[in-house]
Amino acid sequence: ENAAAVATLCRRLDGIPLALELAAVRLRSMPVEEILDRLADRFAILGSARTATDRHRTLRAAVSWSYGLCTGDEQRLWAELSVFPGTFGLEAAEHVCGPGTFETLIRLVEKSIVQYNDGSHRYHLLDTMREFGAERLAGRAEELRARHRDYYLGLARQSAADSLSARQNSWLARLGTETDNLRVALDFSFTAPGQQGAGLEMTVLLRHFWVMLGRSAEGRRWHDLAVAVEPGSSANDWAVYGAGILAAQQGDQDTGEPLLDRAAALAAESGDEDLAAHVAHAQGNVAVNRGELETARARYEAALARYERIGFSDPLALVSY
């Protein structure tokens, strides 16, 4: 009956035999579901369990032993790589962790601290190792998270700039691979003091990614945060538009339509013809969904006239969503 929870526990403990053994001991006093709920601090929940052989009394002791076998550079990189929530590429690691990363990373792979996938050419720090490394970032966590965010903000900029090129599909696939990193970068931007402007920019840049891959719920969540940042700025105007189209894409016309009306007013106020064209286009889609075909036709014609005058700036200017 609890097979799914057991399988999830095995995955979250990275299949590490000692961790599984310690979790099995915990089953004497709590159900597997409660162990899962408490895994945010796996070293605490598994810390005092004793095994029959008592080889290692805690998971922390075992990981600490591995940590002690690493050189200073390897220990430093282990901690710094903990800012990556999932898989990552070499370029990203070098950007975040600085010079000398490659040689040290290879040594961590050889010591099985970091996993390498030969098919995807990406690296992965097991969750247990990541949590241990994060504890050793000490006062450097915000600095490393900012560098991590800056790398993925740059990736979002490149993707948006290439969105109408022959590389569009490869960029969408790349962003899909980096989803966990994008989420962490956005979360840092919206929660760390003074970083919200970067979160707003990143949200606007990733709009086409969420719309074109149908990830409306996630896109809406970030746009809900972005629309409160820097009101009156061009980026904020586009965030209002993005929030509107993502709501409409989910069929929530009652939320989407007022947001699009607001975006239209902002476009008129600022004189942003490109935004005005996008809004008219989106309002045409809303009208279609309501069965108001004459209104939709008028909106589409207005959008097309503007696009033909100023150009088609991104994929959403070319498609109906």
Side-chain angles (χ1 to χ4, degrees):
E1 294 176 355
N2 64 0
V6 171
T8 300
L9 179 63
C10 291
R11 285 194 298 272
R12 291 191 59 190
L13 290 177
D14 307 310
I16 296 173
L18 176 62
L20 298 176
E21 188 175 359
L22 292 169
V25 173
R26 279 287 181 233
L27 290 174
R28 299 170 185 167
S29 56
M30 65 180 66
V32 65
E33 293 80 4
E34 186 170 346
I35 297 176
L36 275 174
D37 289 342
R38 294 173 178 266
L39 271 192
D41 187 355
R42 66 192 62 207
F43 294 115
I45 187 64
L46 303 180
S48 59
R50 299 295 184 89
T51 67
T53 60
D54 205 26
R55 292 188 307 274
H56 292 293
R57 294 186 179 181
T58 68
L59 180 60
R60 183 184 297 281
V63 179
S64 295
W65 179 76
S66 296
Y67 184 79
L69 295 177
C70 293
T71 66
D73 284 345
E74 291 165 357
Q75 291 176 351
R76 174 191 57 79
L77 185 61
W78 180 343
E80 292 176 344
L81 291 175
S82 68
V83 300
F84 292 98
T87 66
F88 55 90
L90 177 59
E91 180 184 83
E94 289 178 325
H95 179 94
V96 173
C97 305
T101 294
F102 176 68
E103 294 80 4
T104 309
L105 180 60
I106 295 306
R107 295 200 299 272
L108 288 177
V109 171
E110 291 170 349
K111 292 182 177 181
S112 299
I113 303 302
V114 175
Q115 310 296 306
Y116 175 68
N117 187 310
D118 192 47
S120 65
H121 306 297
R122 291 176 68 82
Y123 300 87
H124 178 225
L125 193 63
L126 296 178
D127 287 349
T128 301
M129 304 304 183
R130 180 182 304 109
E131 184 177 324
F132 187 88
E135 292 177 353
R136 278 144 187 79
L137 274 180
R140 300 186 59 216
E142 186 164 337
E143 170 199 349
L144 269 294
R145 291 191 71 191
R147 280 155 62 176
H148 174 275
R149 189 278 317 285
D150 289 346
Y151 178 81
Y152 288 98
L153 175 57
L155 208 66
R157 288 170 178 159
Q158 294 176 57
S159 171
D162 262 357
S163 63
L164 283 177
S165 76
R167 294 181 292 275
Q168 179 192 114
N169 285 343
S170 61
W171 270 114
L172 290 174
R174 172 79 182 276
L175 293 177
T177 299
E178 301 287 6
T179 294
D180 288 340
N181 285 303
L182 295 173
R183 288 171 179 160
V184 164
L186 283 162
D187 181 69
F188 170 77
S189 298
F190 284 118
T191 57
Q195 302 294 329
Q196 287 76 17
L200 170 62
E201 180 187 359
M202 196 168 180
T203 298
V204 170
L205 289 168
L206 291 173
R207 179 185 63 248
H208 71 288
F209 167 62
W210 290 311
V211 171
M212 295 183 73
L213 295 188
R215 299 187 176 189
S216 308
E218 180 166 7
R220 284 187 73 179
R221 180 162 67 90
W222 297 117
H223 276 80
D224 286 345
L225 297 173
V227 295
V229 178
E230 299 179 5
S233 67
S234 175
N236 182 272
D237 294 349
W238 281 93
V240 173
Y241 156 76
I245 63 170
L246 286 161
Q249 190 178 53
Q250 284 194 303
D252 185 1
Q253 314 295 350
D254 291 339
T255 299
E257 195 165 7
L259 284 166
L260 291 173
D261 290 342
R262 178 179 160 197
L266 292 169
E269 182 179 333
S270 65
D272 190 333
E273 283 288 292
D274 195 21
L275 178 57
H278 278 73
V279 172
H281 188 170
Q283 288 174 325
N285 293 332
V286 170
V288 167
N289 291 335
R290 291 189 181 282
E292 300 167 358
L293 301 187
E294 288 304 316
T295 299
R297 177 173 178 155
R299 296 292 191 185
Y300 287 145
E301 288 178 345
L304 183 59
R306 282 193 170 100
Y307 286 141
E308 289 178 338
R309 185 167 63 252
I310 64 174
F312 297 81
S313 59
D314 63 35
L316 301 188
L318 295 172
V319 299
S320 176
Y321 41 81

